[in-house]
């Protein structure tokens, strides 16, 4: 400014401040229009750049220049890592663009500002800028961005917006979710909907078990919101190759503001530990997901949830193990052909059998007595403490002396449902069964020790137990139950009198762990024998009742003689075996083995209807001192037997007495023979079976020869000659054949010798 100007300015100030109405040479004050013109004149003289002068020529030009300078400054700040300063300028740029309707540039600038404010945690500043960003996205029809902004607005501190504003944000989310979105994309709501496992130990399941998993879900929406679907992924902690497994909610879920407890049905999982993964769902047509855990209230409140993903497992699935065991209650034999109780021990192993269903299938030769109810009781009441049996009887009779430890069950379609009180305790199931056999027990010679056959009386029961929450657990087992006759019978000739009377001793061996009482016995003799005396078949020693203790023996004596003739009518129906009939009773405990049949209840006095009948077959041989034929094995050659060398086996058959006149047959002068030889040890050359002529006169004889070749070396059983049409009691073996013969290895062949 020139000095003259300075003087004029000072004079003006003095004129304006001097009092009075005196005349002065100073100019009057300038008006506003004059000042504007003077300022413009001064600017024109000061600004020499035409572009800058153009920017100041109008408001629009000024704002355009302001945007250019702000963008340049912001870019410089960003390049120099002064990002906060650059973002502040981006906010100024966004405000100008928003004012002039340039919503695309405004949205881009607002996104930078919101990203900085959110990263720094400046909630108040973000609440001022984020609505502008949402408005820009709404105008631009950016549905995905607008939804994301609405979710972020709902996720801010509740005190920054009023309830009506928050409800408006939620209504926008719901409106877009139920509309037809042109480009539907999954929405991340990790800051709004979060989840966590319930406090306490993880849910523990056995292998193959389904379950119900409770999860706490935190909703940041101000009002209730309906989720059409909801699913949660589980991640195995021990095996990365196991992958992610999703569990889904079967119905729509309504989330209330704040804390919600959601129960999801959990299908069977593989053994291992699992943690929560990702929460996904659907609101209308909008799919959303959440990866994080809720914030919430203070740490000591129920609304507190950590930002950090917990490492504590929410689910543990144990490795496969035994959950239940089924076993037979007793191992000793039960009565065959009589209804008996079969005990099955049901033992849960740290697993509840509530609502379990047991399928029962009997094998061949065994049936269930469906007319009788199945009984179930505590296992320890039966075996561990016999004193409790009295109380157990009271429970069966409806008494109230003990808690419920006994129940009668009905078999329906081969299955029963276990009672609730037996779900956690070891119990025994008593099933009424009957083992059927049509063969009679056969007696043996007293010189041979009795050998009980377990296979003949073996029966099987197939069990299938379905248990668990949805009967998904299945346990199958086949139990073997042994049934037997109460007695084993063996015979021997105790004495022989001069008149031909034989004293037959019948020895009874008890085969059950029960007390047997024999009330009566009689013997139906086979053909060729008859009773002496009264002939009623009763024993000569009639000391009845006869008590036979478990595993002990008793004896009966019968007086019989050999019948000399057989009537023609009796010959038509020959009886090859003698039948021993015994009427008896039994006293036993079903928890130990054989016992009184199911349908027979003891009443304290002897009743003929309660007696049991045992029938056994006895094969009585005629005395060996009076045979009809003699079969003798002739000695072998002195050279011995060798493998591959032909040898002749010879037997001499001799008739010891004349054939009885009253026996008529077309082939009395012939004898049927048969040679039995092991195909592994012998090769028989010629016929193994045929007829040879033998006169009916006493002393007639014939030699039967068979050519054989030994096949193996060592001590082997030689071929045996049998006469199928002649009873063994009419044959005397003299001399008897050897049990074993020595067969030498084949001789060495010279063709295999190597000269020295």
């Amino acid at each position: 400014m020139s000095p003259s100007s300075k003087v004029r300015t000072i004079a003006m100030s003095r004129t304006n401040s001097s009092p009075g109405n005196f005349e002065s040479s100073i100019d009057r004050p300038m008006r506003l229009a004059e000042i504007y013109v003077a300022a413009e004149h001064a600017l024109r003289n000061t600004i020499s750049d035409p572009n800058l002068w153009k920017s100041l020529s109008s408001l629009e030009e000024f704002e355009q220049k302001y945007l250019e300078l702000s963008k340049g400054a912001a870019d410089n700040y960003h390049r120099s890592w002064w990002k906060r300063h650059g973002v502040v300028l981006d906010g100024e740029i966004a405000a100008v663009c928003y004012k002039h309707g340039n919503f695309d540039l405004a949205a881009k600038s607002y996104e930078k500002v919101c990203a900085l404010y959110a990263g720094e945690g400046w909630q108040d500043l973000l609440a001022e800028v984020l609505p502008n960003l949402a408005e820009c996205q709404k105008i631009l029809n950016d549905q995905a961005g607008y939804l994301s902004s609405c979710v972020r607005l709902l996720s801010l501190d509740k005190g920054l917006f009023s309830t009506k504003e928050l409800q408006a944000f939620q209504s926008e989310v719901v409106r877009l979710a139920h509309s037809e979105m042109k480009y539907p994309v999954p929405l991340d709501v990790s800051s709004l909907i979060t989840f966590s496992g319930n406090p306490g130990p993880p849910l523990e399941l056995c292998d193959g078990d389904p379950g119900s998993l409770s999860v706490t879900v935190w909703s940041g929406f101000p009002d209730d919101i309906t989720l059409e679907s909801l699913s949660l992924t589980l991640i195995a902690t021990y095996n990365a190759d196991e992958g992610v497994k999703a569990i889904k909610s079967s119905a729509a879920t309504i989330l209330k503001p704040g804390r919600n407890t959601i129960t999801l049905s959990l299908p069977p999982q593989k053994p291992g530990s699992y943690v929560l993964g990702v929460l996904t769902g659907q609101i209308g047509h909008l799919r959303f997901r959440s990866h994080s855990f809720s914030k919430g209230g203070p740490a000591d409140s129920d609304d507190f949830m950590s930002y950090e993903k917990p490492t504590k497992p929410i689910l543990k699935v144990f490795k496969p193990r035994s959950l239940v065991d089924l076993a037979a209650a007793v191992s000793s034999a039960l009565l065959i052909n009589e209804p008996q109780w079969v005990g099955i021990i049901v033992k849960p192993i740290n697993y509840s059998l509530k609502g379990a269903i047991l399928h029962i299938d009997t094998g061949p030769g065994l049936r269930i007595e469906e007319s009788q109810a199945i009984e179930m009781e505590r296992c320890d009441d039966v075996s561990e403490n016999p004193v409790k049996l009295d109380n157990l009887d009271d429970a069966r009779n409806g008494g109230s002396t003990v808690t419920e430890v006994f129940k009668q069950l009905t078999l329906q379609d081969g299955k029963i449902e276990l009672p609730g009180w037996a779900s956690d305790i070891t119990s025994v199931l008593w099933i009424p069964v009957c083992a059927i056999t049509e063969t009679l027990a056969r007696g043996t010679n007293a010189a041979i020790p009795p050998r009980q056959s377990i296979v003949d009386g073996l029966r099987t029961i197939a069990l299938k137990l379905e248990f668990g929450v949805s009967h998904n657990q299945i346990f199958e087992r086949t139990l073997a139950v042994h049934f037997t006759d109460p007695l084993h019978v063996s015979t021997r000739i105790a004495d022989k009198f001069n008149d031909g009377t034989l004293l037959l001793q019948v020895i009874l061996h008890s085969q059950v762990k029960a007390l047997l009482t024999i009330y009566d016995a009689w013997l139906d003799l086979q053909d060729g024998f008859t009773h002496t005396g009264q002939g009623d078949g009763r024993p000569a020693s009639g000391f009845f009742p006869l008590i036979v203790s478990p595993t002990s023996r008793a004896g009966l004596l019968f007086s019989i003689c050999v019948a000399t003739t057989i009537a023609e009518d009796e010959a038509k129906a020959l009886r090859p075996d003698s039948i021993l009939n015994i009427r008896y009773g039994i006293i036993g405990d079903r928890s130990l083995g054989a016992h009184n049949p199911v349908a027979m209840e003891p009443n304290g006095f002897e009743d003929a209807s309660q007696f049991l009948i045992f029938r056994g077959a006895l094969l009585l041989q005629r005395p060996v001192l009076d045979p009809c034929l003699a079969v003798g094995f002739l000695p072998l050659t002195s050279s011995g037997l060798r493998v591959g060398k032909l040898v002749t086996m010879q037997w001499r058959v001799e008739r010891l007495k004349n054939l009885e006149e009253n026996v008529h047959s077309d082939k009395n002068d012939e004898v049927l023979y048969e040679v039995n030889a092991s195909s592994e040890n012998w090769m028989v050359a010629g016929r193994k079976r045929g007829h040879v002529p033998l006169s009916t006169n006493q002393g007639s004889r014939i030699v039967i020869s068979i050519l054989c070749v030994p096949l193996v070396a060592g001590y082997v059983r030689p071929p045996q000659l049998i006469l199928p049409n002649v009873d063994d009691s009419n044959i005397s073996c003299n001399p008897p054949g050897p049990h074993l013969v020595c067969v030498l290895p084949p001789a060495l062949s010279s063709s295999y010798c190597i000269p020295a």
Side-chain angles (χ1 to χ4, degrees), residues 67-123:
L67 288 177
E68 292 179 0
L69 295 176
S70 298
K71 288 180 181 179
D75 292 339
N76 290 331
Y77 279 129
H78 285 298
R79 283 194 295 267
S80 61
W81 293 97
W82 289 51
K83 295 186 179 295
R84 291 185 178 180
H85 296 74
V87 169
V88 171
L89 294 177
D90 287 330
E92 297 295 331
I93 296 172
V96 175
C97 293
Y98 180 82
K99 176 181 177 181
H100 291 281
N102 192 354
F103 300 108
D104 190 11
L105 293 178
K108 293 180 180 179
S109 299
Y110 277 136
E111 287 177 354
K112 297 179 182 180
V113 177
C114 291
L116 174 66
Y117 291 168
E120 296 292 341
W122 297 337
Q123 298 273 325

Side-chain angles (χ1 to χ4, degrees), residues 266-325:
L266 187 66
Q269 305 291 327
K270 292 185 178 181
S273 297
Y274 295 88
V275 296
L276 295 178
V278 180
L279 180 71
T280 59
Q282 191 168 345
I283 305 174
H285 304 291
L286 177 66
R287 291 173 296 167
F288 68 87
R289 65 182 182 275
S290 176
H291 301 269
S292 65
F293 285 70
S294 293
K295 44 182 179 180
D300 56 350
S301 68
D302 293 337
D303 296 336
F304 175 76
M305 297 183 187
S306 173
Y307 278 115
E308 299 179 358
K309 190 172 183 179
T311 58
K312 185 183 74 172
I314 192 174
L315 171 65
K316 286 186 178 180
V317 181
F318 296 105
K319 294 182 179 180
R321 66 175 181 87
S322 299
L323 304 178
V324 68
D325 188 26

